[in-house]
Amino acid sequence: MRAHLGDQLVVESPATGASRRDGEIVGLHHEDGTPPYDVHWSDTDQVTLVFPGPDAHVRHLEHGPGRSREPSRPGMAGVHAESAGVRPDGAPNPGDVGRRVAMERERQGLSRAETARRARMAPDYLTYLEQQPADPSLASLIRLADALGTTVAALRGGGMDLPPGRGQALLHPRLQDLGPDECRARLSTHGIGRVAVSTPDGPAVLPVNYEVVDDIIAFRTAPDSVPAMAGGTDVAFEVDHLDEAMSQGWSVLAVGPARIVTEPDALRRLADSAHTEPWAGGERMTWVAIRPTRLTGRRISPADQ
């Protein structure tokens, strides 16, 4: 027995008059398409790991380009193409799990083939997960989380609306000061940080996408926004990272004068250096530049590091 993603597994009932079961094969565990399979059952809307018996057979379906292979669900006929796994422009429309898997894999510099090997799954199945709104089995998620050094909850987006750092503290933590060079290295070239500014209503701290160009920290904002009030004042800018699994992390604090950038050459250089558009969207064409006069940082780690 051999199957492809999107084929149907049909299980005939040995009892006379009893209904048979069918489901879509959404997961392969062997590259040659042999069992077992992850099957999304049409009658229960659940995904289970199946070792087909003698009463089961595979119904092969068309696998042409652009065909959606979303797991079948009762009542899904007539759904808009975007919700069925294809955007209006014909490109794949991955689900949240697939996006998180792809992002973590790319962040670690892993190929699909290597990630699939670590997770003991077919590369075609990993491609399917990353490109379609699939519903992988718990077993598949556990193997992927282990291969990527993360958790099932993280791949599912659990805790996304909760503040970070809810885990237990280390048994013997070590608080270590970071030197200026290490602070600059952790700031890296870009990311998301928080700028603290004074406003008529009191202090405010806001997240911004930032760039580092020639030791200058710069971010884009709207001209009438609160972050734009940083121009012409001394501000504090903070970046940090937490490792939830290990209960450790670091933070870097930059303090210095900020100004609104107006020179055409400087604006052009900042725009050319930008790694991403501001996540908040909208018209954010005002660049604010911070020249750090004080750069400090700290790291929490196990005592033996």
Side-chain angles (χ1 to χ4, degrees), residues 132-245:
Q132 303 294 341
D135 185 14
S137 67
L138 179 58
S140 295
L141 283 175
I142 291 173
R143 291 198 302 274
L144 275 172
D146 183 60
L148 295 172
T150 184
T151 65
V152 171
L155 293 181
R156 284 176 167 169
M160 186 175 63
D161 295 324
L162 299 175
R166 290 165 57 88
Q168 296 296 317
L170 295 169
L171 185 60
H172 299 291
R174 177 187 179 190
L175 185 60
Q176 180 183 7
D177 289 331
L178 305 178
D181 288 342
E182 189 168 1
C183 287
R184 293 187 185 94
R186 292 181 183 273
L187 277 171
S188 187
T189 59
H190 66 291
I192 291 182
R194 282 161 290 280
V195 59
V197 299
S198 297
T199 76
D201 297 324
V205 179
L206 301 106
V208 292
N209 293 86
Y210 72 90
E211 303 286 337
V212 178
V213 181
D214 295 337
D215 289 336
I216 298 295
I217 300 170
F219 61 88
R220 275 174 293 185
T221 187
D224 56 350
S225 65
V226 174
M229 294 181 182
T233 68
D234 286 341
V235 301
F237 185 85
E238 193 263 354
V239 179
D240 59 35
H241 178 74
L242 296 177
D243 187 330
E244 293 279 354

Side-chain angles (χ1 to χ4, degrees), residues 66-77:
R67 179 184 178 273
S68 170
R69 295 180 183 174
E70 182 191 12
S72 56
R73 291 180 174 86
M76 289 293 287

Side-chain angles (χ1 to χ4, degrees), residues 24 35 50 57 126 270 288 298:
E24 185 173 2
V50 179
H57 67 273
L126 182 56
L270 288 171
V288 180
R298 285 189 168 186

